[in-house]
Each structure stands twice: as structure tokens, then as C-alpha cells.
Amino acid sequence: MVETANHNHHHHTPPNQAAPPPSTGVAPPLGSARGPFFPPAEQLLQLHYCIHSNPSWVPTVVLAFQHYIVMLGTTVMIATALVPRMGGGPGDKARVIQSLLFMSGINTLLQTWFGTRLPTVMGPSFAYIISVLAIINDLSDSDFSSEHERFSHTMRAIQGSLIVSSFVNIILGYSNAWGKLTRFLSPVVLVPAVCVVGLGLFARGFPQYLQHIHPVARPMLERFALLVCVGIIWAFAAILTVAALILALGIELLLTCSLMLLYRIKIPYPFQWGTPIFRASHVFGMMGAALVSSAESTGTFYAAARLAGATSPPGHVFSRSIGLQGIGQLLEGIFGSVVGTTASVENVGLLGLTRVGSRRVVQISTAFMIFFSIFGKFGAFFASIPLPIFAAIYCILYGIVAAIGISFIQFTNNNSMRNIYVLGVSLFLGISIPQYFIMNMDASGHGPVRTHGGWFNDILNTIFSSPPTVALIVGGLLDNTLEARHTVDDRGLPWLVPFYHKKGDSRNEEFYSYPLRINEYIPTRFL
């Protein structure tokens, strides 16, 4: 841990926790002294760099580039899944990728400066897929002179839906409603909510074995293992490509990258696809996606705070971050993104993999996003990384985030049957309900809820297809209705209460205050 100034904060004791009883000289009961005792730690101690400590400039730039590579996978996946269904060709997909990268860079800068101020990358969200598919299907029967015209018309409809639905998050955030809702989230709720944010396969074998090659190389391999893995596998994939062993998906991806080379300098600009189209049914469906993105970001922010060496974000920080996420979605609608953004789970997992939670690293990564979104010639080179490589990387990074969710259980009474019930039900339903909705969803995005109101179907299918959203709903209801008043200590609330309010803990100002003296010009409710 580089920072030592706040070392005395790492073992913060809640106000109502009694001091250990003095020794009486009587032998403890059998089994009571077996093994060491690890007290709860509000901040992780095994980080190389925390939220406001920074590596030297060369490692900072390399780590920032690593964040760009990680978020690039989701960007390419979403564009690959949606653009062909809209009638777009490889050239259109290249422009969509550039727009997504550009807005991800802008929104990440906004969040790290004026939002949560946590080192979180704001990347494209899969939560919007169902709503976008509904718009695509709604326009599939319309007559267009060409496929490109159908693509442009669909993009304009998506733009209009993103613009209007963005006010859901803006209102929830800047009215302080979202921050007040987070006060109902005890550690018992956070365990399943954060866990299902990144629940997946957990395999970290290659970096763990590789770091034992030489002791001197261990710190470098630990921080940059992802780039080493990607470079080796990417080179192997290139050899197979030359040998004509690439699959059809790879050929399509290379074609897209070749088209991106044609857009050497292309700056996304407002309403690049034309005038937005506003339709009520599309807007309502997109509102459900906006709510889901807020719920998913909330769980991701909690994980990012722990992996950055910070304390849990206070309620007012959540409010301003969700409000700013709404402003970001508004900008995405204006600049022509195909989906909105949310806090990137894979990039939060990268904080744990590298043990570098520096805010500056993530801020510098936005320079790569914006640069490669403008200069498509260079961005195409990195977009040619095979998608299976990203899938393998995400298995590791999602697993780290899932484990961080489990770590919140240290603040609760693990022997409480009431807590065990809430945790088990929330975790099980948070996984099984979304899995049911996903398994019963057809290629057109129609889920199990199929009433005569298409917008109503889109809202419910989107909400219940999101594991973090379901886990928050189920966990929040159970935890706040089952003997809630009589189990305050068992639920772990004394550990979170100091972070509900801005003045509740001295570290709130340390980690989450605005940069420079901006707070002097902003209303106190948003500080």
C-alpha cells in the first residue's frame, strides 16, 4: 500500500461496537482460540496504489492503455450484435464503434471529475439491448429504399429514445431520490447485489504461474499480465489468420476493421445520423433500460470503491453520479450512440487484477478512447483483437468483482439465520430469474412478458433480465421487512451509517470531494 497517511482509518470501529472484555485468566472454551481472527476492514490494504495515489508516468500510461483494451471488447460486441440487424454495413458499424468509444471517453471523464470520482470506466451497456431490438423490430416492416436508409432511420429513433429517457436518471439523481434509496442497502443486500454484478467463471491461472518466472519481473507481470496474455494470444490468432484458419466471424470483424481504416479522421458530431425521431412506445421501453443501468452502476460503484482503497460512497455521491449518468445518456442520444453507458464491470475487475486503483490511470485511459474514436486507422488495429480473447479476459475480471461482493459479508453477522435466508434467497433469485427471462427470449428481443403493450413488455423484460437489479429488489425488500428494526447490528448497518451522510465520516470528503474549488460554485445538495 503506497499511502500510509490514512493507515489508522483502515480498522474503523463502528460507534456501538463494544471494546473486547479484559482478560480474566480463565482458559477459553474449547475451539474458541483456533486460528487467527481477521477484523472487518473498510478499505483494502493489499493495493499498490489507492484512489488518489499514482504510479510514475510510464506505468500510468501503460495501465491506462490496458483499461482501453478491456472496454474495447464490449464496444465491439454490442456494435457487432446490433448494427447488422439495423441494416448497417461494415462502414456503419465502424462509425458506431467510433461513436461509442468517443462517448465512453467523455462520460468517463465526467464521472471521474464530477460524479462518484471513483476510478470507473463508463462503457456501453448491454441493458439497452432489449429496448434497441424492440425499436429495430418495430421498424422492420417499414418500407425503405435501401438498407442504409433503414439503418439511419433506426439510429434516429434510438437517438430520440435515449434523449427523452435520459431524464429518468437526471431526475432520480439530482432530486437526491437515488441517494436516499441507497440508505436501504445494508451489507446483507450488497453481498448478492455486487456479487451478481460480476458473477462468472473464475480462472486466473496464467498470470499466477507466470509471475514466478523471476522475482524482479513479478510486479510488472502482476500489473500488466492482461497485456501480456492478449499480446501472446493475439499473435497466435494472427498466425492462424494468415494460414486461412480464421472463422467467419473473424473475417467479418477484419472487414469491419478494414472499413474503419477508411475513416482515418472522423470526429463524432451532434445528430450525425439526422434529426432524432421521438415515439412514445420506444421512449417508455428505453426508460426501463435507464433504470437498469443505474442499478447496475450502483453495484459496480460499491465494488470500485473497495478495489480503489476508498470507503463506501455516501448517498449524495450516488445521487450526483446517477444524475450525471443521465446527462451522459442525453449526450449519447445527441451524438448518436446506439446504446447508453454504465459503469464498466470488467474495468473494475481490472483494478483488482492490477491492484492499482488510481483515479488518474482511468482518466488518462479516456485519452486513448477519444484518440482512437477520431483516428479510426489506429483504432481498427486494436479492434481486430478476436472476441474470444475478450471473453476469456472477462471470465477473470467478472470473477474478481463477484468475490468483492462476497467480501461485504464481513460486516454482518454470518451466524444469523435471518441473514442467511436473505442472502440465499436474494442470490438465488438474482441469478435464476434473469436466467429464466434470457432463456425464454427470442432473437427479436421478445421475452416472457408478452402483453398487448409493447412498451410495458420491454420495461419488465429489461428489468427482470438484469441480475443486479433483481438482487437489489429482492434483497432490499426482504432485508427491510424481515425483523429489520431488531436486527440493526446483525445487518451490519453500524458499518455503513457513517457513510450515508457527507459529514458522517472524515474520509467522505477525502475521497469524494470535487476537484480544485469547484464545490464553492455548486449547491450543497450536490456535494
Side-chain angles (χ1 to χ4, degrees):
M1 193 88 169
V2 171
E3 291 183 308
T4 58
N6 299 313
H7 182 73
N8 59 325
H9 293 309
H10 288 296
H11 299 289
H12 175 72
T13 303
N16 65 337
Q17 180 169 327
S23 175
T24 59
V26 180
L30 181 63
S32 63
R34 292 180 180 176
F37 171 75
F38 299 99
E42 294 169 348
Q43 298 169 253
L44 292 180
L45 301 177
Q46 298 179 348
L47 300 176
H48 299 313
Y49 296 93
C50 294
I51 184 171
H52 45 46
S53 62
N54 307 301
S56 58
W57 279 106
V58 173
T60 294
V61 173
V62 178
L63 288 165
F65 179 72
Q66 200 167 224
H67 274 282
Y68 162 73
I69 290 295
V70 168
M71 66 82 57
L72 181 63
T74 300
T75 304
V76 175
M77 288 179 188
I78 289 179
T80 302
L82 293 179
V83 173
R85 293 174 179 267
M86 300 162 60
D92 297 317
K93 184 163 70 172
R95 291 183 61 188
V96 168
I97 292 175
Q98 289 177 284
S99 299
L100 290 173
L101 286 175
F102 182 80
M103 290 312 306
S104 294
I106 298 297
N107 287 329
T108 300
L109 275 180
L110 291 176
Q111 278 292 344
T112 54
W113 277 342
F114 311 113
T116 60
R117 305 221 67 219
L118 291 169
T120 51
V121 171
M122 303 300 293
S125 173
F126 283 98
Y128 293 84
I129 294 292
I130 295 177
S131 301
V132 172
L133 287 177
I135 295 175
I136 295 174
N137 295 328
D138 192 34
L139 299 176
S140 60
D141 296 333
S142 302
D143 294 329
F144 299 102
S145 59
S146 65
E147 285 293 282
H148 180 72
E149 182 183 353
R150 181 166 75 89
F151 168 78
S152 299
H153 189 88
T154 305
M155 284 298 304
R156 291 164 56 197
I158 294 173
Q159 279 186 267
S161 301
L162 286 173
I163 290 173
V164 178
S165 61
S166 66
F167 288 95
V168 172
N169 287 345
I170 293 175
I171 295 173
L172 284 175
Y174 291 120
S175 66
N176 272 337
W178 196 265
K180 294 178 180 178
L181 286 174
T182 59
R183 298 179 184 178
F184 293 95
L185 305 180
S186 73
V188 176
V189 183
L190 293 180
V191 172
V194 178
C195 186
V196 298
V197 163
L199 195 59
L201 299 177
F202 192 90
R204 196 183 170 187
F206 181 63
Q208 288 285 28
Y209 282 108
L210 189 62
Q211 69 183 10
H212 295 294
I213 291 178
H214 195 281
V216 177
R218 174 170 178 170
M220 301 300 293
L221 292 174
E222 190 174 56
R223 295 178 193 174
F224 310 123
L226 187 144
L227 285 181
V228 174
C229 295
V230 170
I232 293 176
I233 301 176
W234 190 9
F236 181 69
I239 295 174
L240 295 182
T241 303
V242 174
L245 295 178
I246 193 169
L247 298 177
L249 179 60
I251 295 175
E252 181 185 355
L253 187 58
L254 288 177
L255 181 60
T256 300
C257 296
S258 301
L259 265 295
M260 285 184 70
L261 293 176
L262 301 178
Y263 297 91
R264 295 185 179 182
I265 300 179
K266 183 71 175 181
I267 302 177
Y269 55 90
F271 309 118
Q272 58 179 318
W273 310 109
T275 305
I277 299 174
F278 302 95
R279 185 175 296 182
S281 59
H282 299 167
V283 170
F284 282 114
M286 198 69 75
M287 286 181 177
L291 285 172
V292 168
S293 69
S294 298
E296 293 179 347
S297 290
T298 299
T300 307
F301 288 146
Y302 273 111
R306 284 195 63 77
L307 289 172
T311 54
S312 295
H316 71 281
V317 172
F318 278 114
S319 289
R320 76 190 189 198
S321 67
I322 296 303
L324 192 59
Q325 188 169 316
I327 292 178
Q329 182 176 325
L330 176 63
L331 293 175
E332 287 154 2
I334 294 175
F335 279 85
S337 290
V338 70
V339 294
T341 57
T342 189
S344 173
V345 179
E346 52 269 28
N347 287 91
V348 171
L350 186 59
L351 301 179
L353 183 64
T354 61
R355 301 188 187 183
V356 177
S358 170
R359 181 191 295 127
R360 178 183 294 175
V361 169
V362 171
Q363 289 174 333
I364 292 179
S365 71
T366 63
F368 289 104
M369 301 176 202
I370 296 174
F371 176 83
F372 290 123
S373 70
I374 296 175
F375 297 92
K377 180 178 181 179
F378 301 99
F381 176 71
F382 297 106
S384 66
I385 299 176
L387 295 182
I389 294 181
F390 288 109
I393 293 171
Y394 294 163
C395 290
I396 300 171
L397 303 182
Y398 290 161
I400 293 175
V401 176
I404 283 295
I406 297 174
S407 72
F408 281 96
I409 202 172
Q410 66 183 307
F411 304 116
T412 69
N413 181 0
N414 300 336
N415 297 314
S416 168
M417 289 303 300
R418 182 255 184 207
N419 286 355
I420 292 174
Y421 173 79
V422 174
L423 287 171
V425 174
S426 302
L427 188 59
F428 181 81
L429 293 182
I431 297 174
S432 61
I433 291 179
Q435 184 65 19
Y436 169 79
F437 272 75
I438 292 173
M439 290 179 62
N440 289 277
M441 188 172 298
D442 57 27
S444 301
H446 296 137
V449 180
R450 300 189 182 186
T451 66
H452 294 293
W455 61 271
F456 181 76
N457 300 340
D458 295 338
I459 291 177
L460 290 186
N461 287 327
T462 300
I463 290 176
F464 289 105
S465 296
S466 167
T469 306
V470 175
L472 283 173
I473 293 174
V474 175
L477 288 175
L478 292 178
D479 188 53
N480 290 278
T481 55
L482 294 178
E483 303 176 350
R485 294 184 179 180
H486 305 291
T487 56
V488 173
D489 292 341
D490 288 349
R491 296 164 61 199
L493 285 177
W495 291 96
L496 283 186
V497 167
F499 309 111
Y500 285 163
H501 307 282
K502 180 174 60 176
K503 302 295 184 181
D505 190 281
S506 60
R507 291 165 292 176
N508 292 346
E509 186 75 12
E510 176 186 355
F511 296 128
Y512 300 106
S513 60
Y514 283 118
L516 303 176
R517 301 175 63 180
I518 297 177
N519 57 315
E520 297 179 3
Y521 307 98
I522 297 178
T524 55
R525 64 186 301 185
F526 303 133
L527 298 178

